[in-house]
């Protein structure tokens, strides 16, 4: 039985709205699916259904300028812009994702991960992808993509036009995923749904040698298991090019889908899904999620995330009297007599020196309405206290945020080594609380609210 799709959206680079469909249980391991140029997110619906049935949470994204995603006001549809979108989406996901991506989506994923933070993904399946664009292939791609921006009498004409671009390949095995990128206009004709500039940019992605060198370096840095999949009858991306790409990637396998042409994922959907799921189970196993000393710290973090907590903002004052603070959920009560509490601060915190020097700090426990504060005080690109109502409530105290559920104003009692954190123990000088509001909670990487029935 088909699993329902939920529409969700993300903020891409520069806040551009990116539309997506999700499928499966949000607490399951995340798979992010990126289509190729000219396709919409519906291209991946079949794979997403299979992933959800296998216990994964699948998110099919419309690239910028494609499907229902926003159009770039500045016309930026280069690899950097797409890669920045992918990074923004990965950063917004509660857990590390596995990426499945075709064509342009795959190039964006390579740049996002290989030039960024490989730890944000657990692996990649790259479909029908090459980084070598010779003049002939680039010309073909450009022509093939441009043909989509014409207007068409009917759906059959769309499929006819697309098939005609690759006459030696089998006709697309499934037409619905391709047709989803088109809509009928007020003129009764069929048009491609996105921004035509996105198609033009995908067809001519800039100086070839430069892009090849750059992507060649990026693939070598992927650092996670990679599967390269191609349709065995794909005429545009040869088996030799796929092997050449495999040789550049430290931990890559290849797979061919028999009988599939240009659209390996939808031409032979069942065979494709079987290959994908088999790789996922090996590269990013769902169960058991086990941490053993020295293995992936992310697994330990996920295990710790099973302990639900409240959320606080820990504050202090720097030597100029300016407030500093950050979101922290490591707050714990320690002792009633003397009155002690603790929180731990990452050694890489930009504010480590200030907290160590200040000799005082306050812990502000957030209520459910203060979730925006929690988000804001975990970001590094904002002036955190701008527009925030706060005050020093006691002489020698630290900033107390207006409306907090509770606040503990402390003198630093001790600072202990805590591995990659410092453990700050505070002696509570004053505590305030308000008895009526619900707390903001944090569990498995997400903000939550109390559910009392
Ligand atoms: C829910 C949540 C809880 C957090 N808990 C802590 C924590 O206990 N200790 C910590 O050092 N960072 C914690 N962080 C991360 C910091 O808020 C974040 O890294 C912040 O950017 C650090 O800023 P700074 O470098 O300006 O101190 C948490 C973030 C979130 C979203």
């Amino acid at each position: 039985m088909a699993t329902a799709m939920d529409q969700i959206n993300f903020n891409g680079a520069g806040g551009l709205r990116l539309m997506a469909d999700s499928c499966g249980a949000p607490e399951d391991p995340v798979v992010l699916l990126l289509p190729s140029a000219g396709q919409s997110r519906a291209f991946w619906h079949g794979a997403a259904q299979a992933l959800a049935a296998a216990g994964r949470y699948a998110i099919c994204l419309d690239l910028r300028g494609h499907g229902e995603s926003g159009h770039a006001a500045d016309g930026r549809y280069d690899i950097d812009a797409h890669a920045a979108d992918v990074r923004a989406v990965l950063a917004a996901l509660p857990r590390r994702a596995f990426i499945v991506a075709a064509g342009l989506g795959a190039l964006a994923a390579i740049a996002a991960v290989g030039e960024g933070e490989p730890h944000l993904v657990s692996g990649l399946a790259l479909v029908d992808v090459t980084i070598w664009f010779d003049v002939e292939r680039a010309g073909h791609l450009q022509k093939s993509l441009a043909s989509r921006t014409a207007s068409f009498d009917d759906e059959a004409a769309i499929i006819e036009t697309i098939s005609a671009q690759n006459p030696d390949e089998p006709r697309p095995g499934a037409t619905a995923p391709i047709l989803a990128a088109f809509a009928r206009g007020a003129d009764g004709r069929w048009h491609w749904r996105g921004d035509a500039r996105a198609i033009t940019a995908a067809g001519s992605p800039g100086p070839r040698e430069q892009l090849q060198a750059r992507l060649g370096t990026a693939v070598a840095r992927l650092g996670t298991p990679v599967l390269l999949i191609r349709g065995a009858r794909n005429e545009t991306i040869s088996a030799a090019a796929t092997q050449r790409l495999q040789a550049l990637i430290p931990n890559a396998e290849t797979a061919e889908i028999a009988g599939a042409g240009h659209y390996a994922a939808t031409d032979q959907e069942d065979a494709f899904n079987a290959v994908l799921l088999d790789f996922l189970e090996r590269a990013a196993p769902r169960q058991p999620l086990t941490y053993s000393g020295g293995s992936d710290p992310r697994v330990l973090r996920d295990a710790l995330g099973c302990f639900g907590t409240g959320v606080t903002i820990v504050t202090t004052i720097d030597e100029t009297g300016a407030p500093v603070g950050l979101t922290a959920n490591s707050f714990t009560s320690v002792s009633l007599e003397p009155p002690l509490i603790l929180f731990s601060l990452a050694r890489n915190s930009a504010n480590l020196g200030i907290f160590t020097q200040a000799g005082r700090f306050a812990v502000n426990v957030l209520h459910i309405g203060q979730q925006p504060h929690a988000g804001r005080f975990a970001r590094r690109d904002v002036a955190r206290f701008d527009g925030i109502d706060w005050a020093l409530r006691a002489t020698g105290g630290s900033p107390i945020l207006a409306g907090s559920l509770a606040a503990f104003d402390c003198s630093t009692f001790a600072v202990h080594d805590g591995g990659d954190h410092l453990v700050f123990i505070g002696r509570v000088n004053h505590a305030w609380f308000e008895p009526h509001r619900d707390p903001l909670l944090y569990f498995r990487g997400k903000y939550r609210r109390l559910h009392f029935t």
Side-chain angles (χ1 to χ4, degrees):
M1 204 185 76
T3 315
M5 296 277 169
D6 289 320
Q7 212 170 72
I8 53 175
N9 59 72
F10 293 92
N11 285 327
L16 189 77
R17 196 175 153 92
L18 301 174
M19 292 302 298
D21 289 325
S22 70
C23 176
E27 52 278 1
D28 281 339
V30 185
V31 180
L32 176 65
L33 298 111
L34 309 171
S36 64
Q39 304 286 6
S40 77
R41 62 192 194 269
F43 181 77
W44 286 119
H45 279 180
Q49 300 278 356
L51 288 163
R56 309 266 167 180
Y57 179 56
I59 299 174
C60 311
L61 191 76
D62 271 340
L63 300 181
R64 61 168 53 207
H66 286 68
E68 293 178 289
S69 278
H71 296 189
D74 56 4
R76 281 206 52 198
Y77 291 107
D78 51 27
I79 295 289
D80 286 304
H82 288 296
D85 287 342
V86 174
R87 274 193 208 114
V89 172
L90 289 175
L93 296 174
R95 286 177 308 285
R96 197 155 68 138
F98 184 97
I99 293 184
V100 178
L104 176 63
L107 298 183
I110 289 170
V113 178
E115 295 173 351
E117 298 183 58
H119 71 267
L120 285 178
V121 301
S122 56
L124 301 105
L126 304 176
V127 187
D128 299 323
V129 65
T130 179
I131 61 169
W132 296 284
F133 318 92
D134 58 39
V135 178
E136 196 190 329
R137 191 178 298 119
H140 174 73
L141 182 69
Q142 201 165 0
K143 201 166 131 246
S144 162
L145 286 171
S147 70
R148 287 166 201 244
T149 54
S151 71
F152 302 89
D153 291 342
D154 52 27
E155 294 176 317
I158 298 172
I159 297 300
E160 206 47 55
T161 305
I162 290 177
S163 306
Q165 301 300 325
N166 302 296
D168 298 331
E169 294 184 6
R171 287 175 68 82
T175 54
I178 297 172
L179 293 172
F182 296 82
R184 199 168 194 165
D187 58 358
R189 295 179 61 75
W190 291 80
H191 302 267
W192 188 68
R193 293 165 81 119
D195 183 347
R197 295 175 301 173
I199 282 271
T200 315
S204 43
R208 284 198 315 278
E209 282 79 18
Q210 224 168 301
L211 191 61
Q212 274 164 217
R214 170 181 172 188
L215 292 173
T217 308
V219 288
R221 289 199 189 126
L222 287 176
T224 53
V226 176
L227 175 65
L228 301 171
I229 310 179
R230 72 176 276 276
R233 294 185 57 195
N234 187 331
E235 296 281 327
T236 321
I237 290 155
S238 67
T242 306
Q243 279 156 19
R244 199 173 153 200
L245 191 58
Q246 180 189 15
L248 290 182
I249 307 173
N251 190 5
E253 295 177 21
T254 60
E256 286 205 336
I257 308 299
H262 210 76
Y263 302 107
T266 53
D267 281 352
Q268 299 289 338
E269 193 173 283
D270 289 345
F272 177 88
N273 291 343
V275 164
L276 178 62
L277 290 174
D278 170 67
F279 183 72
L280 260 168
E281 280 311 314
R282 286 185 290 119
R286 248 179 56 77
Q287 297 289 348
L289 294 171
T290 306
Y291 173 83
S292 312
S295 71
D296 186 352
R298 185 81 191 215
V299 179
L300 177 59
R301 193 167 129 180
D302 289 348
L304 291 167
C306 296
F307 183 59
T309 66
V311 182
T312 77
I313 290 176
V314 182
T315 58
T316 191
I317 291 286
D318 73 10
E319 68 280 4
T320 69
V324 298
L326 70 144
T327 304
N329 69 341
S330 55
F331 169 60
T332 303
S333 62
V334 175
S335 158
L336 288 178
E337 198 48 63
L340 301 178
I341 54 106
L342 70 76
F343 82 100
S344 46
L345 181 61
R347 281 190 191 268
N348 65 9
S349 162
N351 293 308
L352 190 79
I354 299 171
F355 273 95
T356 323
Q357 298 292 313
R360 53 171 147 162
F361 64 86
V363 177
N364 294 268
V365 179
L366 302 186
H367 65 70
I368 187 68
Q370 290 175 310
Q371 184 180 335
H373 288 8
R376 184 187 181 93
F377 278 78
R379 286 176 55 182
R380 286 199 163 140
D381 56 346
V382 290
R384 292 177 182 164
F385 279 87
D386 272 10
I388 300 281
D389 189 5
W390 65 275
L392 296 178
R393 281 213 203 163
T395 314
S398 298
I400 305 300
L401 306 189
S404 295
L405 196 58
F408 301 88
D409 214 347
C410 304
S411 310
T412 306
F413 178 82
V415 181
H416 295 294
D417 175 26
D420 57 12
H421 283 60
L422 287 183
V423 180
F424 281 77
I425 299 187
R427 184 186 183 101
V428 180
N429 299 321
H430 303 279
W432 303 271
F433 72 102
E434 78 91 48
H436 300 299
R437 304 194 76 151
D438 275 359
L440 175 63
L441 302 179
Y442 197 70
F443 173 62
R444 291 215 166 111
K446 279 190 179 167
Y447 296 111
R448 316 273 180 160
R449 56 168 66 242
L450 282 182
H451 284 289
F452 282 145
T453 48

